[in-house]
Amino acid sequence: MNISRPSERFVTHEVTNQAPPLSGFNAYVSDPALRDAVHREGGGWAESQLQAFGELAGGELLDLGFEANHHKPELVLYDRYGHRLDTVEFHPAYHRIMELAVAHGVPGFAWKHAGQHGAHVARAALALLHAQAEQGTGCPLTMTYASVPALLHAGDFGRQWVSKIADGQYDPRPLPGLSKNGVQIGMGMTEKQGGSDVRSNTTRAYELGDAQFEIVGHKWFFSAPACDAHLVLAQEDAGISCFLLPRYLDDGSRNRVRIQRLKDKLGDWSNASSEVEFHGAVASRVGEPGRGVATILEMVALTRLDCMMGSSAVMRQALQHAVHHARYRQTFGKTLVEHALMRNVLADLALESEAATALTMRVARAVDASARDPREAAFARIATAIGKYWICKRCAPFVNEAQECLGGQGYVEESILPRLYRQAPLNSIWEGSGNIQCLDVLRALNREPATAEALMAELESARGGHPALDREIGALREELADKDNIEPRARYLTERAALAIQAAVLIRGGNRVVSDAFCESRLGGQRGQAFGTLSPLAPMQTLIERSFVPN
């Protein structure tokens, strides 16, 4: 028997009450907090470059990021004939992301415009835009940017590599670095037995003559093995020294770096991290013999700035997805953003994100001015560790709160939120965990008096901007003066210093709505432990409207 079934009987539902995809927007133009910070800290002259890259970061780069993370890098140890390759293959999306980032100056902008005030500020903003769209490629881009101060210790040889960074193009060809159109630089510090204690490294350097050395040993974390060269630490008779170890030698042969495996990481999927052994790999010393830690710490100072930047970017991306969703999704007869409690959550997230961006850009200005202003150099020395600790610590709970705003949609892989959540803990671990940063703050305060003076001068510059900050300045002075049991108090002291600096920067920014809300919630005690606990009198709607301006 044939039974006719009208097709409409099988229409189970219509898709309604869903936010449209968030793509095709300008990530710079839609971010008033970033624009204000860039101009405040001296990078406004790069407005056109930032707008151009912002268009990519909210469009093509955002789409490519999904592809690059879905198709993870693959290790290829041998060719079909049995020849050793030790190479990593990447999806085309990864190469396109790198191409766009290098072309727009993410690794090289500050060095191409070296000496121009605000160059590092503008470059930090470019990197922040990039890291919103795709995070894993930030590893080689950051290391390439940060390698320059160390490379400059290598004289003319180092300057040749620097020129390839400042003016280079993305060039993934397997060739000697100095014969390419552009280079990427990685680093290898950590060994199995040492972790942050790099002085326990056992990798050894043996002098060959003609300023070259043979490296024998291993690295437990060898970041971005596809880079053209790596800065590594190894022992020689004078102590630990720093060396530039190229991937390919001048004659075109592969250097004797054997990749053992790629790390199977929680996040950062588009990027390859590896374990390697050096079987007599050839390298050149960078800096003075036995001064390797001091040499590579010049690189670490900049990579720590980028840890702040990366966490700020992840928070920013999570925030704009939460706000976008809440503006469209309806529950109980009105949009999510119209519900008072959701407004509190979104406003609190917006305030946290803006403060993170503001502190990051302020430290970028200090880095920018360090060469010509001793006080800014001292401030950069301590504020980098303070900011790296606090901003990176805030990232993971921030992203989780943003996921809650989307509900189950924030927990499925079609959304960017799960990727951001996996990525969120990375920057608190990379380049020294939280304890390392707090101990570094104590070291700076105890050994370099100028850092405490610069910190207090930064806070005093905003005195009178809000009573809560004025009280906090006095309390922080007392904390710094009390040397008893200071190590167990290091996290508490560092957190208070971070909040005070953020308040000072926001006050000087001139937006009283933002700075008052921050001071009253973060310094005034009118807030609970979770996000979404602002005072009912806080300017929630204004903070949300400022957080993400559609374009």
Side-chain angles (χ1 to χ4, degrees):
M1 180 177 9
N2 292 326
I3 300 176
S4 175
R5 297 184 176 182
S7 60
E8 59 267 18
R9 292 180 60 184
F10 296 97
V11 177
T12 61
H13 68 286
E14 295 181 21
V15 177
T16 62
N17 197 23
Q18 292 286 337
L22 179 54
S23 185
F25 63 97
N26 190 306
Y28 180 71
V29 173
S30 63
D31 188 350
L34 177 58
R35 296 201 317 269
D36 288 353
V38 167
H39 285 267
R40 180 170 65 244
E41 308 302 351
W45 53 269
E47 180 79 9
S48 61
Q49 293 95 324
L50 291 166
Q51 287 194 23
F53 196 58
E55 196 69 30
L56 289 169
E60 183 180 358
L61 280 173
L62 194 59
D63 297 335
L64 288 168
F66 283 93
E67 288 293 307
N69 282 272
H70 181 72
H71 301 280
K72 297 181 183 180
E74 295 184 359
L75 175 62
V76 182
L77 288 178
Y78 300 93
D79 68 10
R80 59 176 176 163
Y81 303 106
H83 301 122
R84 187 93 190 199
L85 293 180
D86 291 285
T87 192
V88 181
E89 292 185 350
F90 295 89
H91 188 268
Y94 173 93
H95 292 296
R96 177 60 177 163
I97 292 168
M98 290 292 290
E99 179 186 13
L100 290 171
V102 173
H104 286 265
V106 174
F109 188 90
W111 310 119
K112 184 174 183 177
H113 299 278
Q116 186 165 352
H117 291 210
H120 287 273
V121 174
R123 181 266 155 193
L126 288 167
L128 196 149
L129 291 169
H130 177 87
Q132 289 180 44
E134 208 294 299
Q135 300 76 43
T137 46
C139 177
L141 294 168
T142 282
M143 292 187 297
T144 302
Y145 158 69
S147 68
V148 169
L151 290 173
L152 290 175
H153 286 287
D156 291 340
F157 171 71
R159 283 189 286 272
Q160 292 179 62
W161 285 87
V162 171
S163 68
K164 297 285 185 179
I165 294 170
D167 299 311
Q169 307 164 25
Y170 178 59
D171 187 348
R173 293 177 299 166
L175 298 172
L178 294 182
S179 67
K180 296 174 65 173
N181 297 325
V183 295
Q184 301 294 310
I185 308 294
M187 66 191 303
M189 296 173 62
T190 306
E191 297 184 7
K192 294 182 178 72
Q193 72 286 346
S196 296
D197 183 11
V198 296
R199 295 191 183 278
S200 67
N201 284 7
T202 60
T203 295
R204 188 81 189 173
Y206 300 92
E207 191 163 3
L208 295 173
D210 295 328
Q212 291 196 315
F213 292 77
E214 191 175 61
I215 309 296
V216 178
H218 82 283
K219 294 297 171 185
W220 184 231
F221 280 88
F222 194 68
S223 297
C227 286
D228 298 289
H230 288 76
L231 287 165
V232 301
L233 296 179
Q235 299 277 4
E236 56 174 331
D237 292 343
I240 291 183
S241 298
C242 181
F243 299 87
L244 183 67
L245 190 152
R247 185 177 170 209
Y248 288 90
L249 302 178
D250 291 343
D251 63 4
S253 63
R254 292 182 182 85
N255 209 348
R256 292 184 286 278
V257 179
R258 301 290 182 254
I259 301 176
Q260 304 304 301
R261 62 173 175 169
L262 299 185
K263 295 289 192 182
D264 188 5
K265 299 168 294 186
L266 170 66
D268 211 43
W269 287 355
S270 65
N271 176 48
S273 302
S274 63
E275 300 170 24
V276 300
E277 290 182 348
F278 305 129
H279 291 237
V282 177
S284 302
R285 189 197 293 124
V286 174
E288 297 297 319
R291 296 283 297 164
V293 174
T295 299
I296 210 162
L297 279 178
E298 295 187 47
M299 178 180 185
V300 169
L302 294 182
T303 53
R304 286 178 176 175
L305 167 60
D306 270 23
C307 287
M308 298 167 58
M309 175 278 301
S311 291
S312 297
V314 167
M315 287 193 278
R316 171 64 192 169
Q317 184 67 274
L319 169 66
Q320 58 196 12
H321 273 81
V323 172
H324 175 75
H325 178 83
R327 284 172 172 166
Y328 284 92
R329 182 75 166 177
Q330 291 195 359
T331 60
F332 309 109
K334 53 187 176 181
T335 60
L336 282 174
V337 77
E338 294 176 298
H339 290 275
L341 189 52
M342 180 59 79
R343 278 203 306 274
N344 198 322
V345 171
L346 294 172
D348 210 357
L349 292 175
L351 201 53
E352 189 76 20
S353 176
E354 177 153 357
T357 297
L359 178 52
T360 298
M361 291 298 136
R362 174 64 185 96
V363 173
R365 174 162 70 90
V367 167
D368 193 86
S370 291
R372 56 186 178 270
D373 187 335
R375 174 167 282 181
E376 285 293 288
F379 180 70
R381 166 72 180 90
I382 193 167
T384 301
I386 290 171
K388 200 276 190 189
Y389 169 77
W390 182 241
I391 294 174
C392 297
K393 271 280 178 280
R394 298 295 284 166
C395 189
F398 185 107
V399 175
N400 179 237
E401 195 67 62
Q403 285 181 300
E404 285 195 35
C405 294
L406 275 71
Q409 289 191 48
Y411 198 68
V412 295
E413 293 293 341
E414 288 90 345
S415 166
I416 197 174
L417 271 300
R419 189 210 313 170
L420 299 180
Y421 191 62
R422 289 191 300 269
Q423 197 73 26
L426 173 61
N427 286 313
S428 66
I429 298 170
W430 190 36
E431 301 298 34
S433 63
N435 282 354
I436 294 296
Q437 303 309 311
C438 293
L439 291 172
D440 199 26
V441 170
L442 297 188
R443 188 179 300 111
L445 293 171
N446 291 332
R447 300 180 185 178
E448 305 168 51
T451 60
E453 296 171 7
L455 171 60
M456 297 313 300
E458 179 73 12
L459 302 182
E460 289 288 353
S461 69
R463 182 178 284 280
H466 196 280
L469 178 60
D470 293 349
R471 291 191 295 270
E472 186 64 15
I473 292 172
L476 196 55
R477 282 191 185 278
E478 293 180 6
E479 285 284 345
L480 294 174
D482 181 5
K483 303 299 182 183
D484 293 338
N485 295 315
I486 195 167
E487 184 173 323
R489 292 188 289 116
R491 285 193 173 212
Y492 177 66
L493 188 153
T494 302
E495 176 181 327
R496 291 188 68 171
L499 292 171
I501 298 171
Q502 287 179 319
V505 175
L506 292 173
I507 286 171
R508 289 200 309 276
N511 188 320
R512 288 292 300 271
V513 172
V514 174
S515 62
D516 284 358
F518 185 87
C519 290
E520 287 159 13
S521 60
R522 270 62 175 177
L523 303 180
Q526 298 180 27
R527 184 175 182 274
Q529 297 299 308
F531 289 109
T533 54
L534 295 175
S535 163
L537 301 179
M540 299 176 196
Q541 192 62 33
T542 302
L543 293 171
I544 295 168
E545 290 173 357
R546 175 176 169 79
S547 69
F548 181 43
V549 180
N551 56 79

